[in-house]
Structures are given as C-alpha cells and as structure tokens.
Amino acid sequence: MKLVFPHKEHKDFELIGDSFTIGSSDKAMITIKDKSMHDVHATLIKDGEDYALKIETPACMASVNGRLVKDSREVRVGDLMIISQVHCKIESGNAAKKDDNKTRIRMALPKYVLRGVSGVYFGKTFPLRGKTSLGRHSENDIFVNVDGISRKHALISVLADGLEIEDLDSSNGTFVNGKQITKQKLNIGDEVKLDNIRFLIQAPGAPMSDAAPTSQAKPAKTAPPAAQDSSSGNTAKWLITLLVLAAAAGAGAWYMGLFDKFLN
C-alpha cells in the first residue's frame, strides 16, 4: 500500500508498517510542509485490510470523503482524505496494473463549500451537503471549538434552489454580511460570522477573496487649460494695453508740439 497525492505536490509514501504519523514536523513519519498543518496533525493506523485516520486534537482538521474526522474515521483504499488542506488517498501497490473491470465510483465535488477567512479556521474549507451543523460540540458536522461559539450554533441546509442558514438560539448570534439573522437564504460570496469566526460561501473552483471588492478611486479633477493659464494670460493682456496707451500718449505729445510750432 502507498499514500499518494492526486495533485502531485508531494512524493508518494510506501505504507510499510502499522502506524504512520502525519504532520509538518520532521519528527512525523510522513512530513508535509503546509502552513496550516500541525507538527503532528494526524495518525494513519492499519486496521486489518483497511486503515483508520485519527486526529491528535479537535483543532487538527481532517476529513474522509467529505466527512469531518471528529476523533477517528475508517479509511479504505481509494477514499479521499483531506488533511489540513492536503488531498491524499491510499492505493494498492499494483493499482495501476490491476483492472478488474469494476465501475470506479468517484466522489462528486460539493456544489457549495464553506471557507474560513479568520482565526484558526483561516484557509480551511468544509463541503456543504444536505444539512451541516456548526457549533462547539464535537457531534456537529463542523466542529468550531472556540470560546463564544454555542454548542449548537447554526445549521446550513442545501436546498433545491440554494442555501439557507438558521441560527439555533445561539448566545452570541449568527450574522450574514454583518447583519444578525434568525433564518436566511445564502448566496455565493456571502460572509457568515459566528461570534468572531468568519466564513465565506463559495463554489469549488471559484476565485478566492477574503475581502469585499473596493470601488476604484476616481482620478482627481484638474483645472481646464484656460483656468491654469489665466494668470499669465491676464498679465500679457495688461502689458499690451499699457504699450498701446504709451504709444498713444507719445503720438499725442508729438502732434501737440507740431501744432504749437504752426501757431508760432
């Protein structure tokens, strides 16, 4: 058996033995350098022909086929595991060679996901299928172990025409786009806030954004050319006027002198 990474960001790991620690530390048997991976994030334990994925603490996020691991969960050959944000699965050593003509069942991507954009859940994604409960109790589908979150805080339901969120009488309330709600429809891009933990509603493959887009700054208005040159233009006009008056005055003096000579 071996642990393979469909996105090929890590090398395959041969599963020789009965227990394998997975984490970002060099002390882990399977070292995966990821910013949200704990030093020892999870343990893969051989259980007969199958395996079990066990997390170290509730803060170590992991899922098997889209189902959140709350303590441990059974893993079979071909099951998709997401450990922190890393996708991986177990394959038999001769999986590439063997073909038993059986239909392969591929896990469909969820239509909607919930992505954390603050606190310890920043960057973590959770598939939304059917009804998804959120709260501080470990029995919730999304276990939000943070002070200020109620044991059963909110419920997100996938409906035929979209999503709906319902507050479950939480102590600190549920907010959508900054407004406290009791029950409300959700759209892609909406922000859901439980106390100080914020999530975004997204569709797989959609571009990720942690903040609402801001309007582009308008260019500063500039004075029209005539206004900018008004000072220099007025100065030139006054100089021309003065020159004309001076010339007129000089001509007048010359005519007066000529008239006096004619009289005398």
Side-chain angles (χ1 to χ4, degrees):
M1 296 290 182
K2 60 181 178 179
L3 188 70
V4 300
F5 301 87
H7 297 163
K8 303 301 180 183
E9 69 272 46
H10 304 286
K11 292 182 178 179
D12 296 348
F13 184 87
E14 294 289 341
L15 298 175
I16 303 174
D18 296 324
S19 180
F20 312 89
T21 53
I22 302 170
S24 61
S25 171
D26 292 334
K27 295 180 180 179
M29 293 182 65
I30 304 174
T31 302
I32 300 175
K33 298 297 183 181
D34 184 81
K35 63 180 181 180
S36 59
M37 185 82 68
H38 289 70
D39 289 347
V40 177
H41 197 100
T43 304
L44 193 61
I45 304 169
K46 187 172 177 59
D47 184 13
E49 295 296 322
D50 299 319
Y51 290 80
L53 182 66
K54 185 179 185 302
I55 58 173
E56 298 300 312
T57 68
C60 298
M61 306 302 298
S63 65
V64 178
N65 290 338
R67 299 295 296 174
L68 186 67
V69 178
K70 298 172 182 177
D71 179 33
S72 66
R73 186 173 288 276
E74 182 184 26
V75 182
R76 297 181 179 181
V77 173
D79 286 349
L80 176 64
M81 294 179 286
I82 302 178
I83 304 173
S84 181
Q85 299 182 71
V86 179
H87 293 61
C88 56
K89 60 182 179 178
I90 297 173
E91 284 187 357
S92 59
N94 59 349
K97 300 177 183 178
K98 186 178 179 180
D99 184 6
D100 54 8
N101 294 323
K102 290 183 179 179
T103 302
R104 301 293 190 266
I105 300 175
R106 189 172 293 176
M107 192 69 180
L109 286 174
K111 188 175 181 180
Y112 307 101
V113 296
L114 194 67
R115 187 170 69 89
V117 292
S118 71
V120 295
Y121 295 92
F122 178 82
K124 300 182 185 302
T125 56
F126 307 92
L128 296 174
R129 293 187 176 95
K131 293 183 181 293
T132 303
S133 60
L134 301 92
R136 193 161 45 85
H137 196 283
S138 60
E139 291 182 355
N140 288 286
D141 297 303
I142 299 179
F143 176 38
V144 188
N145 189 21
V146 176
D147 292 339
I149 304 297
S150 297
R151 290 168 63 84
K152 292 185 177 180
H153 199 107
L155 179 70
I156 298 177
S157 302
V158 179
L159 307 177
D161 58 347
L163 294 173
E164 182 181 73
I165 186 169
E166 179 182 0
D167 180 76
L168 302 178
D169 296 324
S170 63
S171 299
N172 294 321
T174 300
F175 296 80
V176 176
N177 298 330
K179 295 182 179 180
Q180 188 170 1
I181 59 93
T182 301
K183 181 183 287 189
Q184 181 173 313
K185 289 289 186 69
L186 290 172
N187 298 307
I188 294 174
D190 282 351
E191 179 191 272
V192 174
K193 185 166 78 73
L194 313 180
D195 193 48
N196 291 322
I197 304 298
R198 296 183 296 115
F199 299 92
L200 284 182
I201 301 295
Q202 292 188 332
M208 297 189 298
S209 173
D210 297 337
T214 56
S215 58
Q216 295 181 348
K218 294 181 179 180
K221 291 183 178 180
T222 57
Q228 294 177 344
D229 298 333
S230 59
S231 177
S232 58
N234 289 337
T235 302
K237 289 179 181 179
W238 278 108
L239 287 174
I240 293 171
T241 303
L242 289 173
L243 288 173
V244 171
L245 291 174
W254 183 79
Y255 280 115
M256 289 298 294
L258 183 62
F259 184 70
D260 288 340
K261 288 181 181 181
F262 178 77
L263 293 176
N264 296 328

